[in-house]
Amino acid sequence: MGRILNFHLPAADVERAVAFYRDVFGWKFTSLSDGGVPYFHASAEGIGVEAAITARTSIVAHPVPTIEVDDIDNTLARLAITGGQQGAVNDIPGIGRFAYARDSEGNTIALLQRDVSSTAPGGVASP
């Protein structure tokens, strides 16, 4: 599962965005919609911070989360198949492989595949 930080992702089509993140990153959602604005919560399950997909508004319009992935090439392929747009992958010495991409809703997302050879105990990249 892709590890995430706290954010809200806006969507023109909330159901389509939920399906996109479930299919590409394996996120599990719970609907917390109260009959008004659709709101789907993705639990971090103890390995990250919570996130949500909600309707795009003037306030929730442009997040750019970084999502940690095991295999950036495989993730970008799945992303393209499910309605996203791939970006160029860049190698960051001592950190790993990084790419910007767009999800099914046109949001910019960042992907990071850590360089395991430079990762210190606890999963933190070595300086």
Side-chain angles (χ1 to χ4, degrees), residues 43-113:
S43 173
E45 301 179 349
I47 59 170
V49 180
E50 311 300 321
I53 294 180
T54 190
R56 186 180 311 278
T57 66
S58 60
I59 296 170
V60 181
H62 304 287
V64 181
T66 298
I67 303 168
E68 186 175 11
V69 298
D70 293 329
D71 182 335
I72 200 166
D73 296 316
N74 184 281
T75 300
L76 286 168
R78 288 193 329 261
L79 183 142
I81 291 169
T82 57
Q85 297 176 347
Q86 297 177 332
V89 176
N90 296 295
D91 291 324
I92 303 173
I95 301 294
R97 301 180 72 214
F98 179 86
Y100 283 109
R102 292 201 183 268
D103 71 7
S104 62
E105 303 307 302
N107 295 305
T108 300
I109 58 177
L111 305 174
L112 175 65
Q113 176 185 325

Side-chain angles (χ1 to χ4, degrees), residues 2-72:
R3 290 175 27 162
I4 55 177
L5 300 174
N6 186 25
F7 61 85
H8 289 83
L9 277 174
D13 183 329
V14 173
E15 296 286 342
R16 181 177 64 203
V18 166
F20 176 88
Y21 281 92
R22 181 193 62 231
D23 295 346
V24 174
F25 299 108
W27 294 0
K28 298 174 185 168
F29 289 92
T30 301
S31 175
L32 300 177
S33 304
D34 62 358
V37 176
Y39 188 91
F40 288 83
H41 177 259
S43 173
E45 301 179 349
I47 59 170
V49 180
E50 311 300 321
I53 294 180
T54 190
R56 186 180 311 278
T57 66
S58 60
I59 296 170
V60 181
H62 304 287
V64 181
T66 298
I67 303 168
E68 186 175 11
V69 298
D70 293 329
D71 182 335
I72 200 166

